[in-house]
Amino acid sequence: MLKIFHLSLIMMSILTTNINATSRIYLIRHAPVQIDKPDWGTTQTAHNYREQYNINSVHNYDAQAVLNKIDHPETVDMIFCSPQLRAFQTAVLLFNNQVSLKINKNLMELDYSVISVPYLKLPVNAWLAISWFSWVAGNNPDKKQTYKERKENLEIYSEEIITYAETHGKSIVVAHGMINRELIKILQKKGWKFEKKDGNGNLSVNCLVK
């Protein structure tokens, strides 16, 4: 009887530890892409830059410097990853094919059309910014998914990331700057808080806990 009582205490202790354990979600932005951005150009220049950016490879980088920002990276066996080349290559370089990649289209970068204005030249960054705000405002000439639809789908998908973190202690996401920002907003609405805020640059590692 005493042994059963001791076993019960041990089981309760284990369950309590698991319930109270901190869950972490790491959001990693991909490595820099091998491409030179034009300074000025037409909307076609900006469009061509965007298209090339989506297919070019990333620069090699110091994977250990990124892994140092993750709690016990050696225990990771699966990561959530965008299907786009720059995120996929970053994930492979980071974990060296030692983990499985859970690829999902909801982690693709927010995709908006570059607006079309013939002949006029502006800084490429200006064209991209104008096109972004136009898309967020609801303009969608190429009938891509709207900003609202992408956010709604990402919020639904975030439950899978959260569930994995709560079950395994942590989730690691390798994706993109804008999509990671949206994920942070979603997670914060669901009660997650920053443990480490690392900005939005390439290879940034933001960590939220609950």
Side-chain angles (χ1 to χ4, degrees):
M1 192 71 182
L2 190 60
K3 287 183 178 179
I4 294 174
F5 177 71
H6 284 160
L7 284 172
S8 298
L9 286 177
I10 292 169
M11 289 299 296
M12 287 180 65
S13 176
I14 292 171
L15 289 171
T16 302
T17 299
N18 288 337
I19 291 170
N20 294 330
T22 299
S23 300
R24 291 178 171 84
I25 296 178
Y26 294 91
L27 304 178
I28 303 172
R29 187 187 175 197
H30 63 80
V33 176
Q34 297 182 34
I35 190 170
D36 293 322
K37 180 185 286 187
D39 292 328
W40 282 68
T42 62
T43 53
Q44 187 61 46
T45 305
H47 172 79
N48 292 343
Y49 166 75
R50 280 276 308 280
E51 292 294 305
Q52 196 64 41
Y53 187 82
N54 283 332
I55 62 174
N56 281 15
S57 296
V58 299
H59 289 282
N60 284 326
Y61 66 92
D62 181 4
Q64 191 57 52
V66 180
L67 292 174
N68 288 341
K69 301 177 181 179
I70 299 171
D71 183 45
H72 298 297
E74 70 280 358
T75 64
V76 176
D77 55 15
M78 192 277 286
I79 62 175
F80 298 88
C81 186
S82 160
Q84 288 173 284
L85 181 63
R86 54 192 182 274
F88 176 81
Q89 287 184 332
T90 300
V92 171
L93 287 168
L94 186 58
F95 289 99
N96 201 23
N97 289 317
Q98 295 175 353
V99 302
S100 60
L101 302 183
K102 192 171 183 63
I103 305 292
N104 192 279
K105 65 181 182 180
N106 286 302
L107 295 175
M108 293 178 66
E109 184 60 296
L110 299 181
D111 185 22
Y112 55 91
S113 301
V114 177
I115 64 173
S116 179
V117 181
Y119 309 118
L120 180 63
K121 288 188 176 183
L122 290 174
V124 167
N125 280 341
W127 284 128
L128 296 179
I130 293 168
S131 301
W132 159 260
F133 286 114
S134 175
W135 181 63
V136 169
N139 297 315
N140 193 22
D142 291 342
K143 305 302 178 185
K144 300 176 184 288
Q145 278 194 305
T146 65
Y147 177 58
K148 181 181 179 182
E149 289 170 337
R150 287 297 311 270
K151 287 199 303 178
E152 288 173 347
N153 291 338
L154 185 62
E155 181 155 7
I156 294 168
Y157 181 66
S158 70
E159 285 301 320
E160 188 171 335
I161 297 171
I162 290 169
T163 300
Y164 190 89
E166 291 175 341
T167 304
H168 296 83
K170 59 177 168 285
S171 286
I172 296 178
V173 178
V174 179
H176 310 270
M178 289 186 290
I179 207 72
N180 282 354
R181 283 200 298 269
E182 295 297 337
L183 261 175
I184 287 170
K185 293 176 188 176
I186 290 168
L187 292 172
Q188 287 178 321
K189 282 199 306 183
K190 296 183 177 186
W192 292 73
K193 300 181 185 301
F194 272 111
E195 181 181 66
K196 178 179 177 57
K197 197 170 185 178
D198 198 26
N200 193 45
N202 291 111
L203 296 174
S204 57
V205 182
N206 290 287
C207 179
L208 291 92
V209 298
K210 191 174 182 182

